[in-house]
Amino acid sequence: MKAKYLFLLTLISLACQSQAQVFNKKAIELNDKAVKILQGSGSLGYRIEKSNRLLDSAISIDPKYTIAYQNKLNNLITIKSYNEAITVANSLYKIKPSIEIGTAKSALLHKKGNIEEVRSNFDQVIRQAEKQYLSQPNPTLLCNIALAHFLNNQRQKALDLLDSEVNKFNDKDKKQINAFKRLLPSFTYDEILNSHKAVVKSNKLKNPVL
């Protein structure tokens, strides 16, 4: 269980690091304050409400500040505010399309029982991710695509994809992919959401500022 959880965190965090770009200095400061509030005292609901107000301010200053969107998404998932979380996921995906956020949205839709929307969303994000993979193959993206297929009730397609691509990578990456393949059959939607709750990002990604 612990190994699978760490794998999910790795797949998400590596994807987030790829989003590094130039962000507004004031927006970064507000985001950092929002993260610190989550680590402070008071009820979880109070801390998240206060944190989200700061994140909204950061987003207002820098509408393309993806880390602030991600932190707000994590906050909303933590308090099970799924409708708002879906709205934030949509906004984040428009700014920076990624299969990680697309999968999180599908997990949120699944939680609400919107099965047809889950499938439709997966079809869209998988197509986008496959185009990205063709131009820039990497093991993390490959594993995320396989995970999306698996959660979309396409288990064999997920396994076949990993088998067909694994030998294109170096030994270290092959080890990662094969380890992921062994864990794949036990992944669930709830674990996707739990992994997002656990990811709290601040300015540790060392984004350059304006």
Side-chain angles (χ1 to χ4, degrees), residues 147-164:
L147 177 60
H149 278 305
F150 175 79
L151 292 173
N152 200 29
N153 294 319
Q154 297 175 317
R155 172 174 176 165
Q156 194 56 51
K157 191 168 186 177
L159 295 174
D160 289 345
L161 174 64
L162 294 173
D163 287 339
S164 66

Side-chain angles (χ1 to χ4, degrees), residues 37-184:
I37 285 172
L38 291 178
Q39 301 166 351
S41 59
S43 69
L44 179 62
Y46 168 77
R47 283 181 286 148
I48 285 181
E49 180 181 357
K50 195 171 180 180
S51 174
N52 282 348
R53 286 201 297 267
L54 289 169
L55 293 170
D56 285 340
S57 296
I59 291 168
S60 178
I61 291 170
D62 190 345
K64 295 188 181 296
Y65 188 16
T66 51
I67 297 173
Y69 285 96
Q70 178 69 72
N71 279 330
K72 186 175 182 182
L73 176 62
N74 296 341
N75 287 351
L76 294 169
I77 289 174
T78 300
I79 59 174
K80 300 181 180 180
S81 185
Y82 298 136
N83 285 332
E84 287 185 76
I86 289 170
T87 298
V88 174
N90 284 335
S91 298
L92 180 53
Y93 191 85
K94 287 179 182 178
I95 297 168
K96 185 71 176 182
S98 74
I99 195 166
E100 298 79 20
I101 297 304
T103 298
K105 179 185 174 181
S106 284
L108 289 163
L109 291 168
H110 186 271
K111 201 73 175 176
K112 290 174 57 62
N114 300 336
I115 305 305
E116 288 304 316
E117 289 186 57
V118 171
R119 293 171 181 166
S120 176
N121 183 65
F122 264 135
D123 287 344
Q124 175 188 344
V125 300
I126 289 172
R127 283 197 301 270
Q128 184 275 331
E130 287 175 338
K131 290 180 182 178
Q132 182 183 349
Y133 180 79
L134 286 175
S135 62
Q136 294 179 311
N138 70 77
T140 300
L141 181 55
L142 173 65
C143 289
N144 273 306
I145 294 171
L147 177 60
H149 278 305
F150 175 79
L151 292 173
N152 200 29
N153 294 319
Q154 297 175 317
R155 172 174 176 165
Q156 194 56 51
K157 191 168 186 177
L159 295 174
D160 289 345
L161 174 64
L162 294 173
D163 287 339
S164 66
E165 296 294 314
V166 66
N167 288 325
K168 297 180 181 180
F169 296 95
N170 60 40
D171 289 343
K172 181 181 178 181
D173 291 340
K174 286 179 184 177
K175 185 177 180 180
Q176 175 191 341
I177 294 167
N178 288 327
F180 175 80
K181 181 182 175 183
R182 291 191 293 269
L183 293 171
L184 183 61

